[in-house]
mmCIF file of all heavy atoms in Angstrom:
data_model
loop_
_atom_site.group_PDB
_atom_site.id
_atom_site.type_symbol
_atom_site.label_atom_id
_atom_site.label_comp_id
_atom_site.label_asym_id
_atom_site.label_seq_id
_atom_site.Cartn_x
_atom_site.Cartn_y
_atom_site.Cartn_z
ATOM 1 N N ARG K 121 16.542 2.410 1.104
ATOM 2 C CA ARG K 121 15.734 1.228 0.719
ATOM 3 C C ARG K 121 15.757 0.182 1.848
ATOM 4 O O ARG K 121 16.938 -0.209 2.085
ATOM 5 C CB ARG K 121 16.049 0.785 -0.641
ATOM 6 C CG ARG K 121 15.887 1.961 -1.737
ATOM 7 C CD ARG K 121 15.805 1.510 -3.080
ATOM 8 N NE ARG K 121 16.062 2.594 -4.061
ATOM 9 C CZ ARG K 121 14.906 3.316 -4.416
ATOM 10 N NH1 ARG K 121 13.683 2.972 -3.939
ATOM 11 N NH2 ARG K 121 15.091 4.341 -5.279
ATOM 12 N N VAL K 122 14.697 -0.344 2.245
ATOM 13 C CA VAL K 122 14.675 -1.225 3.284
ATOM 14 C C VAL K 122 13.669 -2.364 3.200
ATOM 15 O O VAL K 122 12.605 -2.125 2.556
ATOM 16 C CB VAL K 122 14.468 -0.505 4.623
ATOM 17 C CG1 VAL K 122 13.184 0.211 4.582
ATOM 18 C CG2 VAL K 122 14.481 -1.491 5.867
ATOM 19 N N THR K 123 14.088 -3.539 3.393
ATOM 20 C CA THR K 123 13.008 -4.813 3.542
ATOM 21 C C THR K 123 12.674 -4.861 5.006
ATOM 22 O O THR K 123 13.539 -4.933 5.962
ATOM 23 C CB THR K 123 13.729 -5.937 3.020
ATOM 24 O OG1 THR K 123 14.235 -5.775 1.632
ATOM 25 C CG2 THR K 123 12.794 -7.249 3.083
ATOM 26 N N VAL K 124 11.404 -5.003 5.184
ATOM 27 C CA VAL K 124 10.895 -5.186 6.458
ATOM 28 C C VAL K 124 10.300 -6.650 6.585
ATOM 29 O O VAL K 124 9.522 -6.962 5.758
ATOM 30 C CB VAL K 124 9.642 -4.122 6.851
ATOM 31 C CG1 VAL K 124 9.205 -4.297 8.257
ATOM 32 C CG2 VAL K 124 10.292 -2.724 6.584
ATOM 33 N N GLU K 125 10.478 -7.370 7.764
ATOM 34 C CA GLU K 125 10.099 -8.738 7.892
ATOM 35 C C GLU K 125 9.352 -8.883 9.225
ATOM 36 O O GLU K 125 9.896 -8.335 10.326
ATOM 37 C CB GLU K 125 11.274 -9.658 7.795
ATOM 38 C CG GLU K 125 10.750 -11.214 7.943
ATOM 39 C CD GLU K 125 11.972 -12.070 8.084
ATOM 40 O OE1 GLU K 125 13.054 -11.686 7.681
ATOM 41 O OE2 GLU K 125 11.818 -13.245 8.460
ATOM 42 N N ASN K 126 8.271 -9.507 9.238
ATOM 43 C CA ASN K 126 7.628 -9.772 10.579
ATOM 44 C C ASN K 126 8.242 -10.987 11.124
ATOM 45 O O ASN K 126 7.998 -12.119 10.685
ATOM 46 C CB ASN K 126 6.046 -10.092 10.290
ATOM 47 C CG ASN K 126 5.267 -10.195 11.556
ATOM 48 O OD1 ASN K 126 5.747 -10.492 12.630
ATOM 49 N ND2 ASN K 126 3.963 -9.912 11.401
ATOM 50 N N VAL K 127 8.932 -10.873 12.194
ATOM 51 C CA VAL K 127 9.561 -12.068 12.771
ATOM 52 C C VAL K 127 8.784 -12.693 13.855
ATOM 53 O O VAL K 127 8.622 -13.961 13.992
ATOM 54 C CB VAL K 127 10.992 -11.543 13.426
ATOM 55 C CG1 VAL K 127 11.527 -12.596 14.222
ATOM 56 C CG2 VAL K 127 11.940 -11.066 12.309
ATOM 57 N N GLY K 128 8.089 -11.825 14.781
ATOM 58 C CA GLY K 128 7.370 -12.383 15.872
ATOM 59 C C GLY K 128 6.036 -12.982 15.522
ATOM 60 O O GLY K 128 5.456 -13.792 16.307
ATOM 61 N N GLY K 129 5.552 -12.736 14.366
ATOM 62 C CA GLY K 129 4.247 -13.398 13.831
ATOM 63 C C GLY K 129 2.985 -12.693 14.430
ATOM 64 O O GLY K 129 1.947 -13.359 14.509
ATOM 65 N N THR K 130 3.173 -11.457 15.033
ATOM 66 C CA THR K 130 1.997 -10.760 15.576
ATOM 67 C C THR K 130 1.365 -9.827 14.509
ATOM 68 O O THR K 130 1.891 -9.635 13.428
ATOM 69 C CB THR K 130 2.307 -9.937 16.798
ATOM 70 O OG1 THR K 130 3.460 -8.958 16.312
ATOM 71 C CG2 THR K 130 2.960 -10.734 17.907
ATOM 72 N N ASP K 131 0.271 -9.307 14.855
ATOM 73 C CA ASP K 131 -0.626 -8.534 13.820
ATOM 74 C C ASP K 131 0.107 -7.148 13.749
ATOM 75 O O ASP K 131 -0.047 -6.371 14.619
ATOM 76 C CB ASP K 131 -2.020 -8.467 14.249
ATOM 77 C CG ASP K 131 -2.843 -7.634 13.270
ATOM 78 O OD1 ASP K 131 -2.235 -7.196 12.131
ATOM 79 O OD2 ASP K 131 -4.056 -7.584 13.339
ATOM 80 N N LEU K 132 0.842 -6.960 12.733
ATOM 81 C CA LEU K 132 1.438 -5.671 12.408
ATOM 82 C C LEU K 132 0.874 -5.031 11.087
ATOM 83 O O LEU K 132 1.564 -4.338 10.301
ATOM 84 C CB LEU K 132 2.954 -5.723 12.348
ATOM 85 C CG LEU K 132 3.673 -6.146 13.659
ATOM 86 C CD1 LEU K 132 5.071 -6.445 13.502
ATOM 87 C CD2 LEU K 132 3.300 -5.239 14.745
ATOM 88 N N SER K 133 -0.315 -5.427 10.789
ATOM 89 C CA SER K 133 -0.917 -4.992 9.426
ATOM 90 C C SER K 133 -1.062 -3.450 9.364
ATOM 91 O O SER K 133 -1.202 -2.915 10.442
ATOM 92 C CB SER K 133 -2.205 -5.554 9.220
ATOM 93 O OG SER K 133 -3.180 -5.323 10.381
ATOM 94 N N TYR K 134 -0.769 -2.847 8.314
ATOM 95 C CA TYR K 134 -0.836 -1.398 8.110
ATOM 96 C C TYR K 134 0.073 -0.554 8.828
ATOM 97 O O TYR K 134 0.040 0.609 8.923
ATOM 98 C CB TYR K 134 -2.264 -0.990 8.301
ATOM 99 C CG TYR K 134 -3.382 -1.627 7.547
ATOM 100 C CD1 TYR K 134 -4.338 -2.458 8.286
ATOM 101 C CD2 TYR K 134 -3.368 -1.694 6.234
ATOM 102 C CE1 TYR K 134 -5.278 -3.138 7.667
ATOM 103 C CE2 TYR K 134 -4.372 -2.438 5.418
ATOM 104 C CZ TYR K 134 -5.313 -3.175 6.160
ATOM 105 O OH TYR K 134 -6.182 -3.885 5.474
ATOM 106 N N SER K 135 1.111 -1.215 9.471
ATOM 107 C CA SER K 135 2.117 -0.388 10.099
ATOM 108 C C SER K 135 3.165 0.000 9.192
ATOM 109 O O SER K 135 3.317 -0.346 8.012
ATOM 110 C CB SER K 135 2.805 -1.272 11.162
ATOM 111 O OG SER K 135 3.500 -2.454 10.549
ATOM 112 N N SER K 136 4.048 0.885 9.695
ATOM 113 C CA SER K 136 5.032 1.492 8.755
ATOM 114 C C SER K 136 6.389 1.596 9.725
ATOM 115 O O SER K 136 6.174 1.972 10.837
ATOM 116 C CB SER K 136 4.647 2.720 8.147
ATOM 117 O OG SER K 136 4.399 3.751 8.982
ATOM 118 N N VAL K 137 7.406 1.656 9.145
ATOM 119 C CA VAL K 137 8.775 1.885 9.882
ATOM 120 C C VAL K 137 9.374 3.308 9.545
ATOM 121 O O VAL K 137 9.059 3.882 8.418
ATOM 122 C CB VAL K 137 9.659 0.809 9.617
ATOM 123 C CG1 VAL K 137 9.246 -0.472 10.084
ATOM 124 C CG2 VAL K 137 10.144 0.715 8.128
ATOM 125 N N SER K 138 10.207 3.769 10.364
ATOM 126 C CA SER K 138 10.859 5.118 10.184
ATOM 127 C C SER K 138 12.376 4.868 10.443
ATOM 128 O O SER K 138 12.942 4.181 11.432
ATOM 129 C CB SER K 138 10.401 6.021 11.274
ATOM 130 O OG SER K 138 11.042 7.227 10.999
ATOM 131 N N LEU K 139 13.218 5.233 9.474
ATOM 132 C CA LEU K 139 14.615 5.258 9.555
ATOM 133 C C LEU K 139 15.096 6.817 9.439
ATOM 134 O O LEU K 139 14.324 7.501 8.790
ATOM 135 C CB LEU K 139 15.220 4.375 8.581
ATOM 136 C CG LEU K 139 15.031 2.928 8.660
ATOM 137 C CD1 LEU K 139 15.629 2.081 7.465
ATOM 138 C CD2 LEU K 139 15.496 2.418 9.965
ATOM 139 N N ARG K 140 16.317 6.946 9.878
ATOM 140 C CA ARG K 140 16.893 8.373 9.763
ATOM 141 C C ARG K 140 18.189 8.249 9.128
ATOM 142 O O ARG K 140 19.158 7.579 9.434
ATOM 143 C CB ARG K 140 16.926 8.914 11.215
ATOM 144 C CG ARG K 140 17.587 10.326 11.327
ATOM 145 C CD ARG K 140 17.421 10.671 12.756
ATOM 146 N NE ARG K 140 18.087 11.960 12.972
ATOM 147 C CZ ARG K 140 18.961 12.377 13.968
ATOM 148 N NH1 ARG K 140 19.462 11.313 14.737
ATOM 149 N NH2 ARG K 140 19.605 13.373 14.070
ATOM 150 N N GLY K 141 18.481 9.286 8.170
ATOM 151 C CA GLY K 141 19.735 9.446 7.517
ATOM 152 C C GLY K 141 20.699 10.168 8.427
ATOM 153 O O GLY K 141 20.402 11.170 9.186
ATOM 154 N N LEU K 142 21.950 9.800 8.289
ATOM 155 C CA LEU K 142 23.115 10.323 8.962
ATOM 156 C C LEU K 142 24.184 10.727 8.048
ATOM 157 O O LEU K 142 24.337 10.098 7.138
ATOM 158 C CB LEU K 142 23.660 9.316 10.097
ATOM 159 C CG LEU K 142 22.759 8.733 11.171
ATOM 160 C CD1 LEU K 142 23.467 7.651 11.994
ATOM 161 C CD2 LEU K 142 22.140 9.772 11.969
ATOM 162 N N GLY K 143 24.814 11.948 8.382
ATOM 163 C CA GLY K 143 25.893 12.408 7.627
ATOM 164 C C GLY K 143 27.116 11.726 7.938
ATOM 165 O O GLY K 143 27.243 10.762 8.729
ATOM 166 N N SER K 144 28.353 12.079 7.373
ATOM 167 C CA SER K 144 29.583 11.465 7.572
ATOM 168 C C SER K 144 30.154 11.738 8.949
ATOM 169 O O SER K 144 31.132 10.931 9.405
ATOM 170 C CB SER K 144 30.507 12.096 6.545
ATOM 171 O OG SER K 144 30.652 13.476 6.714
ATOM 172 N N ASP K 145 29.632 12.663 9.796
ATOM 173 C CA ASP K 145 29.941 12.784 11.104
ATOM 174 C C ASP K 145 29.172 12.096 12.065
ATOM 175 O O ASP K 145 29.348 12.138 13.306
ATOM 176 C CB ASP K 145 29.928 14.279 11.495
ATOM 177 C CG ASP K 145 28.536 14.944 11.239
ATOM 178 O OD1 ASP K 145 27.610 14.213 10.895
ATOM 179 O OD2 ASP K 145 28.167 16.143 11.631
ATOM 180 N N GLY K 146 28.263 11.259 11.620
ATOM 181 C CA GLY K 146 27.568 10.477 12.439
ATOM 182 C C GLY K 146 26.271 11.113 13.037
ATOM 183 O O GLY K 146 25.603 10.534 13.885
ATOM 184 N N ARG K 147 26.073 12.332 12.644
ATOM 185 C CA ARG K 147 25.017 12.965 13.032
ATOM 186 C C ARG K 147 23.788 13.137 11.949
ATOM 187 O O ARG K 147 24.046 12.940 10.891
ATOM 188 C CB ARG K 147 25.305 14.427 13.542
ATOM 189 C CG ARG K 147 26.347 14.323 14.633
ATOM 190 C CD ARG K 147 26.726 15.716 15.046
ATOM 191 N NE ARG K 147 27.972 15.614 16.034
ATOM 192 C CZ ARG K 147 27.966 16.487 17.142
ATOM 193 N NH1 ARG K 147 27.068 17.309 17.346
ATOM 194 N NH2 ARG K 147 28.922 16.302 17.949
ATOM 195 N N GLY K 148 22.633 13.612 12.377
ATOM 196 C CA GLY K 148 21.612 14.009 11.455
ATOM 197 C C GLY K 148 22.191 15.176 10.575
ATOM 198 O O GLY K 148 22.906 15.993 10.884
ATOM 199 N N THR K 149 21.417 15.212 9.315
ATOM 200 C CA THR K 149 21.989 16.167 8.339
ATOM 201 C C THR K 149 21.326 17.564 8.556
ATOM 202 O O THR K 149 21.913 18.567 7.902
ATOM 203 C CB THR K 149 21.447 15.682 7.028
ATOM 204 O OG1 THR K 149 20.014 15.767 6.890
ATOM 205 C CG2 THR K 149 21.979 14.308 6.690
#
Side-chain angles (χ1 to χ4, degrees):
R121 304 195 186 278
V122 58
T123 299
V124 185
E125 178 185 350
N126 189 334
V127 173
T130 57
D131 182 359
L132 298 175
S133 55
Y134 306 117
S135 62
S136 61
V137 300
S138 177
L139 296 176
R140 181 173 173 231
L142 303 177
S144 57
D145 59 358
R147 303 179 183 220
T149 64

